[in-house]
Amino acid sequence: MEAIKIQTSSKQYEVFVGEGVRSEISTFLSSNFSDLTRILIITDETVGKLHMDKLAPLISQWEPAIFTAPGGEKAKTFEVFYEALSTALENRLDRKSLIIAFGGGAVGDLSGFVAASFMRGIPFIQVPTTILAHDSAVGGKVAINHPLGKNMIGAFHQPEAVFYDLELLHTLSKQEIRSGFAEVIKHALIYDNNFYKWLKSDIHRLDALSSRQLFESLTKGIQIKNEFVSKDERETGIRAYLNFGHTLGHAIESEMGYGNFTHGEAVMIGMVFALKLSREVAGLSFDIDEFVTWVQELGYQTEIPAHLSAERLLSKMKQDKKSSGGSVKFVLLEQIGKPKLQELSDDFLLNHIRNF
Ligand code: NAD
């Protein structure tokens, strides 16, 4: 087991990573929350069915209440948020209660926002169950979606701890593994060329990741995420670099319809696009063809789906909450591990999307 310390300006906490780490949760709660009144576990239908029997019995002394959200982005609606708060009130949670987020990034975002809002904020812990959640469970950004935009309603609310039990990842579909692993690759590209080289030489099949590969990729990814959030918890500066590949990625995800294309798969296309722009305008020297061959071997698509309109993608990029004043800011790489933010004109982007 590895314990990675996350240091933000508002809070310090640990991410415990390893097979079976969920067995430490009860000791953690007893030693850190001696007057804990109630626990609400928030999960989704799939994770609840597959794994609740591996979590609830471990904390049975607190007789946890369970709220089950629908799977995927459907967990992040106002209606589900409202129902989760109602469940918390019906079960008499109070200011000394705690929420456990048990699921992927969607459940983590929902649960964290419920915890941030309930009685003006109660503690929560993350028990992530997807590869993508190595990213989303760390850093304290929590949110639900508005019909007009993803993650538009939210807060910064750091968890008390993260228990990342790799045993729970074995049931993930190939598509969800790919989605999550795109964020691991992103972390390498924006921060650590050696990590990138290791990934590229060691990982050739995402459906046959060994425990060692998974452990090393995820611990390294979490450490990199910590480097950014520890210096910029509220995204006033370098935390924005974590959006590498996301500007176009979010636009593709939204144009394809949430749930039809996973987050990470869309981000991978966004990363290939951003790498090409980086080579053209940021001086990046990098073999993009070699990169594309590798990620295609891992099962990723690297082209923008042909039926998507360049104008609509641009308009979506301009709505992104990271854009400001109507212009699109892109995260580009000067070198692997050296990101920068650059404003790009509409014409330039349209042209490059059309000729991608
Ligand atoms: P998810 O939570 O929707 O999970 C994806 C699917 O996998 C769901 O259908 C879920 O039921 C299923 N699943 C989860 N764990 C499983 C398991 N162990 N076995 C089998 N199936 C399992 O999605 P995700 O990809 O983990 O996260 C995406 C969400 O994370 C998005 O809403 C995104 O906005 C958010 N996100 C947040 C941050 C942040 O900093 N807060 C960062 C990145 C992404």
Side-chain angles (χ1 to χ4, degrees), residues 31 42 52 87 143 176 220 263 303:
S31 27
I42 299 184
M52 188 55 78
T87 305
E176 293 305 339
K220 192 74 194 158
H263 176 73
E303 307 277 334

Side-chain angles (χ1 to χ4, degrees), residues 44 46-47 50-51 71-73 76 103-107 109 129-130 132-133 135-136 138 141-142 150-151 168-169 171-173 176 179 183 225 239 263:
D44 71 21
T46 308
V47 177
L50 288 169
H51 297 302
E73 287 301 302
K76 289 172 62 174
V107 163
D109 281 8
T129 63
T130 61
L132 188 132
D135 183 0
S136 58
V138 175
K141 275 195 194 178
V142 296
K150 193 168 146 72
N151 296 330
L168 304 172
L169 304 183
T171 48
L172 285 169
S173 68
E176 293 305 339
S179 178
E183 299 282 4
K225 174 114 192 209
R239 187 166 178 171
H263 176 73

Side-chain angles (χ1 to χ4, degrees), residues 154-172:
F156 287 94
H157 191 56
Q158 301 289 346
E160 301 299 317
V162 182
F163 291 86
Y164 202 177
D165 191 333
L166 305 187
E167 257 171 34
L168 304 172
L169 304 183
H170 297 315
T171 48
L172 285 169

